Amino acid sequence: MNSNDQKDAPATGSHSAPRGVWVAALTPLTADLAPDTARLIAHCRWLLGRGANGLAVLGTTGEANSLSVADKLALMDAMAEAGLPGSALLPGTGTCSLADTVTLTRKAVEIGAAGVIMLPPFYYKGVSDEGLYASYSEVVQRVGDSRLKVYFYHFPQQSATPISHDLMERLIKAYPDTMAGIKDSSGNLDNMVAMCRRFPGFGVFAGSEQFLLPVLRAGGVGCISASANVTVSACADLLRAHDAGDAAATDAAQERITAWRLALQSEPMIAGLKALIAGRRNAPDWNRLLPPNLPLDAEGHARLVAALEAVDYPFDELAEQAA
């Protein structure tokens, strides 16, 4: 087997664990800025229909830190009642409150979610690894359910509370059947690759499809990405080409997807994604965001469209209504 074949061999690890292209799903809102449950469920079905392996709901992109615990519990119940498979859901459950994190995590387990993506408690800055260990450990013990699978959420730009490799190693050793992986949204590819090497078999997800292929080749399991709300089909194509060992097709897909991601992040991500969907589906309700985030203005929308046109983004894909 040559080096290219080795690079494009399917990722190793647990076949039952989440892998592939997971979308950090947007949360549409009603006129009174409550979650629009019906529209969210329709969007989730559309994403799964376009090739998403699963959905990371109630995360940063879903504006979860601007939602109440009651809202998040109700949304998880609604997803389950609508028949969205638990195996395709990774709800975000990490908050600054230990009790709230436990409540949300228990609900995720109750609906059969594949796992939870858990921010560290992020209000107090400069906390030690010992303090973070105590927090994660307390959640696991209070939930007390063997079905729980925890994915760390490393996003130091937002949380200002990084998750160190030493902390991860200690928690993995203490709870080997519970600590399942990590979403690394740091943008630091070296960190992602280092985790793949230090923790073989651990579920390392890149936080952007910009790093999907290099993380897969390093032994990671895929990506959990905000911009996959509008790039999901191409990301799924990349994964199929990678798993088939087609290095040339995989490289070409990654180059195309990276260009789209860089264009998409040229404007505020959540506002830009909602603006694109609103415009292409003739659905202005999609433009609503929870303060302090604000919708993209007309000038910003025009800049975003121009940036995407310059890299041949296929706008027609978004015109299809979620169903």
Side-chain angles (χ1 to χ4, degrees):
M1 181 181 288
N2 63 38
S3 60
N4 282 339
D5 290 336
Q6 290 175 333
K7 287 180 180 178
D8 275 329
T12 59
S14 172
H15 294 292
S16 62
R19 75 175 294 266
V21 179
W22 287 63
V23 182
L26 294 159
T27 302
L29 302 169
T30 63
D32 60 357
L33 300 184
D36 187 333
T37 304
R39 197 183 293 270
L40 171 60
I41 290 169
H43 183 59
C44 288
R45 287 175 174 154
W46 182 79
L47 291 168
L48 292 171
R50 302 302 291 178
N53 296 96
L55 308 166
V57 295
L58 303 177
T60 302
T61 307
E63 301 173 76
N65 285 304
S66 299
L67 295 173
S68 71
V69 170
D71 283 335
K72 290 184 271 192
L73 293 172
L75 285 172
M76 282 192 269
D77 277 334
M79 291 175 198
E81 290 166 6
L84 291 177
S87 60
L89 298 175
L90 286 173
T93 63
T95 73
C96 291
S97 160
L98 175 62
D100 289 349
T101 299
V102 170
T103 296
L104 291 166
T105 302
R106 282 176 176 158
K107 175 59 70 174
V109 173
E110 178 187 313
I111 67 168
V116 299
I117 300 177
M118 195 179 293
L119 278 167
F122 52 84
Y123 178 78
Y124 295 106
K125 304 304 186 282
V127 296
S128 65
D129 274 5
E130 187 67 28
L132 293 178
Y133 177 89
S135 179
Y136 277 106
S137 179
E138 193 70 22
V139 172
V140 173
Q141 292 184 53
R142 291 194 188 193
V143 172
D145 195 310
S146 62
R147 295 172 295 172
L148 173 61
K149 305 297 178 186
V150 172
Y151 289 77
F152 300 105
Y153 191 4
H154 178 60
F155 198 0
Q157 301 94 311
Q158 291 282 9
S159 70
T161 308
I163 297 172
S164 73
H165 294 192
D166 287 346
L167 171 64
M168 292 168 58
E169 183 172 46
R170 185 179 174 192
L171 283 162
I172 292 167
K173 286 181 177 178
Y175 303 104
D177 297 324
T178 300
M179 298 300 169
I182 187 168
K183 177 187 178 184
D184 186 342
S185 293
S186 67
N188 184 341
L189 179 59
D190 288 342
N191 188 60
M192 301 174 209
V193 171
M195 287 188 294
C196 291
R197 292 172 177 167
R198 182 166 176 174
F199 307 114
F202 197 60
V204 177
F205 283 99
S208 164
E209 67 269 48
Q210 179 182 355
F211 306 113
L212 174 55
L213 182 54
V215 165
L216 287 171
R217 286 176 169 168
V221 293
C223 71
I224 299 173
S225 176
S227 46
N229 279 276
V230 300
T231 67
V232 60
S233 294
C235 292
D237 288 343
L238 184 155
L239 184 67
R240 282 190 289 270
H242 169 268
D243 286 352
D246 189 338
T250 311
D251 287 335
Q254 183 64 71
E255 183 177 359
R256 182 167 60 253
I257 290 166
T258 296
W260 297 347
R261 168 71 189 210
L262 294 176
L264 286 162
Q265 66 188 35
S266 65
E267 298 292 334
M269 182 69 75
I270 303 171
L273 294 171
K274 284 191 166 183
L276 287 171
I277 293 172
R280 294 294 157 170
R281 294 182 181 167
N282 192 28
D285 291 353
W286 262 105
N287 270 315
R288 299 185 183 116
L289 278 78
L290 283 162
N293 292 316
L294 295 174
L296 206 60
D297 60 23
E299 292 78 10
H301 190 184
R303 288 193 302 267
L304 180 57
V305 169
L308 287 166
E309 287 176 340
V311 290
D312 297 321
Y313 175 76
F315 291 96
D316 287 349
E317 180 163 320
L318 294 182
E320 180 183 336
Q321 292 290 334

